[in-house]
Amino acid sequence: MNSSANVDIARPVEQPAVDQALEWQPRVGEASWWQTRQSRESLVERLLGMFTDPAAGLTRDKTRRRGLGKLLDWLEGQPGETWQDRWMASGADDAGFDWTDLPLQGRGTPKSHWRDELATGLVLLVAGQAIRPSYPWLLRQRVTVMLTETRAASDPDAFQRLEQLAQHATPTARSDALNKLTWIVIRKGGLVSDITVGDCIELTAALEEHHFRGSAGRPLFYALLKETGVLPASAPLRLRALRIEGRRSVEQIVDAYAIECRAVRDLLVEYFTERSSELDHVSLRSIARNLCRLFWRDLEIHHPGIDSLRLTAEVAQAWKERLAYIRDAQGHPVRPRVNFRSELVFVRAFYQDIARWAADDPARWAPWVAPCPIKANECATKKSRSGVKSRMDQRTRTQLPLLPALLRAVDRHRKDTMARITAARATSVGGRFLVAGEEFERCGSGQARRVYVTEVAAGRRRNLTHEEEAAFWSWATVEVLRHTGIRIEEMLELTHHSFIAYALPTTGEVVPMLQVAPSKTDSERLLLVSPELAEVLTAVIFRVRAGNAALPLVSAYDVFEQTWSPPMPFLFQRRYGTEDRPLTRSYIRECLVATSQSAQITAAGDPLEWRPHDFRRIFVTDAIRSGLPPHIAAKICGHAALDTTMGYAAIYPEDVISHHRAFIARRRTERPSEEYRELTTTEWDEFLSHFELRKVALGTCGRDYSTPCQHENACVRCPLLLVDPAQLPRLQEIHANLVDRLEEAREQGWLGEVAAIETTMAAAAQKLEAMRVRAAEPSTVHLGMPDFRASAGRVTPEL
């Protein structure tokens, strides 16, 4: 097989090929091809002409001729029409590394060189495309000469160009990339330019299946194909994008739970489609897990044939009892479900959403409206939320005073790791150096030019490159989060384009601002860049640029939406092997865990672990304690509701006292000063005389200070009169007198007087009833002063 005419690797991709590549399916292996259909004479002539030189008389060539003859003798005895059919029928492909035992069966004790001859003959068959072994067989062999001969025979120009493009990589990474491309060519046939995205996925899966996970994650071979144009433009920029499960449609999400009732399945699809616009993809799949697996699929398993959301009380209660426990594969309870009430919330919301939507679209949702089997008090989480809030506040109160100690620790750790790796790079392999009282011995550089040393005292090997990277990014994370209060996902989404110069409208002064991209609330916001924050971000940019003119463009994976971003100059990125990768949330957490261990900060004797979200709570608490209005803090943090911001703030008791005193002081300052002047003698006498005038015959007047009597001293009618039970006889006498006056007025025909007397009599009757009630109340009993008795107190012995 000669490919000398194939000078350029990349070739135009026709539209049908693009459509096929978009499906990311591997090429279907051919059942037969011209090399495997050759007769023995033609095959031997072609292979010996390609891989041997009769004029040279080399021992290697003689071994190849003998090995090829013996292998073909054995294969001819196997059933099949082609050499590939005979190879598969022989069982050698399934035998893996021990395939040479099959041709040697029945030949007595095999000699050592017989196996070598057979292996040499197989190299010619594989490199000459006469047979195409499976990936499991190829990955078990890993014969270097087979891969080298295949590259020289199949597509030498393409492999040579790829090797030149990979010169920037380490020898290990370059060899790994070429071997992977060679395996694909051996298995699938054709040229390098025929490799598809699906072929790359298939090989990566084979590597993972056969426990070569480290090799499966090395992306250089894919990057070379993408750079040279072999893969279509629509192919992902990174191999990792092919290995991570992407977004799934609503139908795929629901169908994954094998719901039997088609009507309910369609209902759930419509329900999640309706809610998908307001949820991120991970939240949508989480709710689908609750409704599809924990709710409806569980009902179908225990109540076959169920097809209605209208559940009986017995069915609903049995389902709640099953949900309350985590169960094993046999259905036996293992432990109580911690988030049991939270799971009920999703089901209750499902029923309530359908009932609410039925009012707007009855034809679509009304047939499914049913009473909710979950009561409101069953999913109440107020108590648990209060407990969470209490623990969060206590954690913030503990961490806030210790924040300066953490800042000193991360800065010291960063400088120490930088000093160690600088000294190691200046030391030759095998040499020793001393840093901060610790002695190290320089080891040889590992993969990706990492710096390794051996700690002399402990005798353990240490990766200084990894330690220095983790220390730097821990320091950068702590500084950025504490200065801004942003979320960890917002920090990781910062790019070189996030810096904005804002000119003040009054003075024209240019102020640097940091634009925080939409995250949890899908709303952008601007933050002021302080000098301290600017220093940290400058150090980050300087490190990521690594002497280049601009930051590398990388694609980041959004774990919530399960999508890849376009290539952007992210600030938080690092070199990983042969490619630049954005930092992930897990890497940041690992760095902070290492920082917490090295800082050795304790609280109540226990080591304190710092998490990314701790700095957001500390930022809010410190800002509000410093006098920042809560609504401004909510704007900075990107909270839609002020209650969310106050939930982050841990209010100290002394803060309540100091802020209340400050409020009283501000209120006194703002109110008129004459309200706080000294009283005159006339004003004080007037004040006392007002209360002297309150005493009347039937009790005490309850009118406000400095107000006249509105009832013209008709106290019997006045509702402000506080009756005195001691004046009951007097009021009875007044009531009797009113009776006599009423009779006289009626006899004389004084109708106006009759109406006035009747009103007064009604008021007097109410006052009499009030006096009787107060008189019936128990009076105060004077208990006297307590004394100490000998039986109850202490008796002092006489001395």
Side-chain angles (χ1 to χ4, degrees):
M1 179 177 178
N2 190 2
S3 61
S4 59
N6 184 35
V7 177
D8 192 5
I9 302 176
R11 63 181 182 181
V13 181
E14 299 178 358
Q15 186 62 33
V18 173
D19 295 339
Q20 184 179 3
L22 289 175
E23 299 178 0
W24 312 142
Q25 295 296 325
R27 288 177 290 167
V28 179
E30 298 177 280
S32 177
W33 55 97
W34 70 269
Q35 293 98 328
T36 194
R37 293 193 299 267
Q38 283 186 299
S39 64
R40 174 167 181 167
E41 293 76 13
S42 301
L43 180 62
V44 171
E45 181 181 0
R46 182 175 66 86
L47 295 181
L48 294 181
M50 293 174 60
F51 301 107
T52 63
D53 184 5
L58 299 177
T59 305
R60 182 201 66 177
D61 294 345
K62 297 178 182 179
T63 304
R64 289 185 172 184
R65 292 191 189 96
R66 290 195 302 269
L68 180 60
K70 293 179 180 180
L71 186 58
L72 292 178
D73 290 340
W74 173 66
L75 287 176
E76 283 184 325
Q78 306 299 325
E81 298 180 357
T82 64
W83 298 110
Q84 176 71 11
D85 294 340
R86 300 180 185 112
W87 167 261
M88 299 302 297
S90 67
D93 197 85
D94 297 329
F97 190 78
D98 299 327
W99 72 272
T100 54
D101 293 339
L102 299 178
L104 298 177
Q105 288 179 357
R107 300 184 59 181
T109 304
K111 298 181 180 179
S112 59
H113 66 275
W114 289 359
R115 296 182 185 274
D116 296 338
E117 290 176 348
L118 290 172
T120 303
L122 186 61
V123 167
L124 303 187
L125 289 179
V126 173
Q129 286 288 306
I131 62 174
R132 295 175 181 175
S134 63
Y135 280 131
W137 188 91
L138 289 171
L139 298 180
R140 289 189 183 100
Q141 305 303 311
R142 303 175 75 87
V143 180
T144 304
V145 66
M146 180 185 298
L147 302 175
T148 303
E149 294 291 357
T150 301
R151 286 194 287 268
S154 299
D155 204 349
D157 295 338
F159 280 109
Q160 184 177 3
R161 181 182 174 189
L162 291 172
E163 187 173 7
Q164 292 175 354
L165 290 175
Q167 288 299 319
H168 66 281
T170 61
T172 302
R174 183 167 60 250
S175 175
D176 176 82
L178 294 176
N179 289 345
K180 289 178 179 177
L181 295 174
T182 309
W183 284 329
I184 296 177
V185 170
I186 291 175
R187 182 71 186 102
K188 297 296 183 179
L191 307 175
V192 173
S193 56
D194 296 322
I195 296 177
T196 66
V197 176
D199 295 339
C200 299
I201 298 176
E202 185 181 29
L203 174 64
T204 303
L207 289 168
E208 291 179 342
E209 182 180 355
H210 291 277
H211 310 294
F212 299 139
R213 294 185 179 88
S215 178
R218 293 175 187 154
L220 182 57
F221 83 102
Y222 183 87
L224 292 176
L225 295 176
K226 186 69 176 174
E227 183 179 354
T228 55
V230 172
L231 301 180
S234 57
L237 295 177
R238 296 177 55 190
L239 176 64
R240 188 166 176 260
L242 301 172
R243 303 176 63 195
I244 297 178
E245 181 184 8
R247 293 175 65 97
R248 306 177 65 187
S249 64
V250 174
E251 291 79 3
Q252 291 175 328
I253 295 174
V254 175
D255 291 340
Y257 298 101
I259 294 178
E260 296 178 355
C261 181
R262 185 69 183 182
V264 175
R265 178 263 180 196
D266 295 339
L267 171 67
L268 291 171
V269 170
E270 290 189 31
Y271 176 76
F272 291 125
T273 302
E274 190 76 18
R275 295 204 59 188
S276 59
S277 60
E278 63 185 25
L279 297 172
D280 58 65
H281 197 68
V282 171
S283 299
L284 183 67
R285 296 184 65 169
S286 176
I287 298 176
R289 167 188 167 272
N290 285 273
L291 295 182
C292 296
R293 184 169 74 86
L294 298 182
F295 175 58
W296 189 255
R297 185 56 186 155
D298 180 84
L299 290 175
E300 287 187 336
I301 293 174
H302 295 86
H303 306 280
I306 187 171
D307 59 356
S308 174
L309 297 182
R310 190 177 296 273
L311 307 181
T312 63
E314 296 77 11
V315 172
Q317 183 61 32
W319 168 71
K320 295 174 189 176
E321 293 176 356
R322 292 192 300 270
L323 183 66
Y325 290 89
I326 300 291
R327 301 177 181 272
D328 56 18
Q330 289 73 32
H332 302 136
V334 177
R335 64 182 183 276
R337 191 183 298 271
V338 177
N339 57 340
F340 169 65
R341 292 182 178 272
S342 300
E343 307 289 0
L344 295 178
V345 170
F346 293 108
V347 180
R348 179 176 173 81
F350 174 59
Y351 276 82
Q352 291 179 335
D353 288 341
I354 292 178
R356 187 174 66 255
W357 296 345
D360 298 330
D361 191 356
R364 183 181 180 187
W365 303 105
W368 293 101
V369 175
C372 181
I374 303 171
K375 300 179 181 179
N377 59 354
E378 291 180 312
C379 53
T381 57
K382 181 179 179 181
K383 184 176 181 181
S384 61
R385 289 199 306 268
S386 299
V388 172
K389 168 64 176 171
S390 176
R391 292 192 297 270
M392 287 169 48
D393 289 351
Q394 183 59 38
R395 182 178 177 85
T396 304
R397 295 190 187 103
T398 302
Q399 290 178 326
L400 186 56
L402 299 176
L403 182 59
L406 175 67
L407 299 179
R408 292 191 298 269
V410 295
D411 187 58
R412 181 179 64 253
H413 186 47
R414 176 178 67 97
K415 294 178 179 178
D416 290 346
T417 56
M418 178 61 71
R420 282 195 291 268
I421 195 171
T422 302
R425 286 170 177 165
T427 305
S428 58
V429 177
R432 295 192 175 187
F433 59 94
L434 194 67
V435 176
E438 294 181 317
E439 188 177 8
F440 302 93
E441 181 179 343
R442 175 68 188 275
C443 302
S445 298
Q447 297 182 3
R449 301 179 180 87
R450 294 183 175 271
V451 178
Y452 292 91
V453 298
T454 300
E455 188 177 348
V456 176
R460 62 188 181 100
R461 182 183 174 92
R462 293 172 58 175
N463 185 346
L464 296 187
T465 303
H466 174 75
E467 292 180 4
E468 191 275 334
E469 285 183 349
F472 176 84
W473 291 117
S474 294
W475 169 78
T477 298
V478 171
E479 291 291 340
V480 171
L481 292 181
R482 83 176 184 94
H483 282 301
T484 60
I486 60 179
R487 305 176 181 90
I488 180 175
E489 59 267 21
E490 294 172 339
M491 181 191 73
L492 298 179
E493 291 174 359
L494 292 177
T495 68
H496 210 175
H497 304 309
S498 300
F499 298 98
I500 297 177
Y502 176 74
L504 297 177
T506 55
T507 62
E509 179 185 359
V510 177
V511 179
M513 305 289 289
L514 189 65
Q515 182 182 25
V516 179
S519 167
K520 188 175 182 179
T521 57
D522 289 335
S523 59
E524 293 184 344
R525 61 187 189 276
L526 294 176
L527 303 179
L528 180 65
V529 179
S530 62
E532 295 82 3
L533 178 60
E535 182 180 357
V536 176
L537 295 177
T538 301
V540 171
I541 294 173
F542 180 79
R543 180 186 184 88
V544 175
R545 280 175 50 189
N548 299 319
L551 273 68
L553 301 179
V554 295
S555 296
Y557 180 71
D558 190 335
V559 295
F560 297 105
E561 294 294 346
Q562 295 186 337
T563 56
W564 288 87
S565 71
M568 300 179 68
F570 288 101
L571 298 184
F572 283 76
Q573 61 171 290
R574 66 187 181 112
R575 190 72 177 177
Y576 188 87
T578 59
E579 65 179 0
D580 296 296
R581 292 185 182 179
L583 300 187
T584 60
R585 296 153 59 95
S586 59
Y587 178 78
I588 293 297
R589 291 191 179 95
E590 290 175 2
C591 293
L592 289 182
V593 168
T595 298
S596 302
Q597 295 174 352
S598 63
Q600 297 181 351
I601 299 176
T602 59
D606 298 326
L608 189 59
E609 180 179 336
W610 299 78
R611 306 187 185 99
H613 216 65
D614 293 334
F615 300 98
R616 185 170 173 84
R617 301 189 187 98
I618 292 174
F619 176 85
V620 174
T621 302
D622 187 55
I624 294 180
R625 288 187 65 193
S626 302
L628 185 69
H631 67 282
I632 301 298
K635 190 71 175 179
I636 294 176
C637 294
H639 289 153
L642 186 60
D643 292 342
T644 305
T645 306
M646 297 308 298
Y648 275 74
I651 306 301
Y652 292 73
E654 56 268 25
D655 294 336
V656 177
I657 298 173
S658 61
H659 281 75
H660 185 261
R661 288 178 175 175
F663 168 75
I664 296 297
R666 289 195 303 271
R667 188 178 66 174
R668 287 179 176 176
T669 304
E670 295 171 356
R671 295 184 64 176
S673 59
E674 56 269 14
E675 296 186 8
Y676 299 98
R677 60 182 173 81
E678 296 292 335
L679 292 176
T680 62
T681 304
T682 303
E683 291 173 335
W684 180 249
D685 293 339
E686 181 184 353
F687 178 76
L688 294 179
S689 63
H690 166 79
F691 290 98
E692 291 175 356
L693 293 176
R694 287 190 173 192
K695 187 64 177 176
V696 293
L698 298 178
T700 305
C701 179
R703 71 179 186 271
D704 295 336
Y705 169 71
S706 190
T707 57
C709 179
Q710 297 181 0
H711 299 89
E712 299 178 355
N713 300 314
C715 299
V716 177
R717 297 183 182 181
C718 182
L720 297 179
L721 175 65
L722 303 178
V723 295
D724 185 2
Q727 301 299 326
L728 179 62
R730 179 182 295 275
L731 186 56
Q732 290 176 343
E733 182 180 352
I734 294 175
H735 188 271
N737 186 25
L738 288 174
V739 173
D740 296 339
R741 289 179 56 191
L742 179 62
E743 293 179 357
E744 181 184 3
R746 285 175 177 173
E747 292 175 357
Q748 298 297 329
W750 301 333
L751 299 182
E753 187 72 13
V754 170
I757 294 174
E758 288 178 345
T759 302
T760 305
M761 288 181 62
Q766 293 178 356
K767 295 293 189 298
L768 285 172
E769 183 64 22
M771 285 183 175
R772 294 189 184 99
V773 171
R774 293 192 61 183
E777 294 178 353
S779 58
T780 304
V781 178
H782 182 65
L783 300 179
M785 291 296 295
D787 58 354
F788 294 97
R789 302 180 181 275
S791 59
R794 295 179 180 180
V795 178
T796 304
E798 296 182 0
L799 299 177

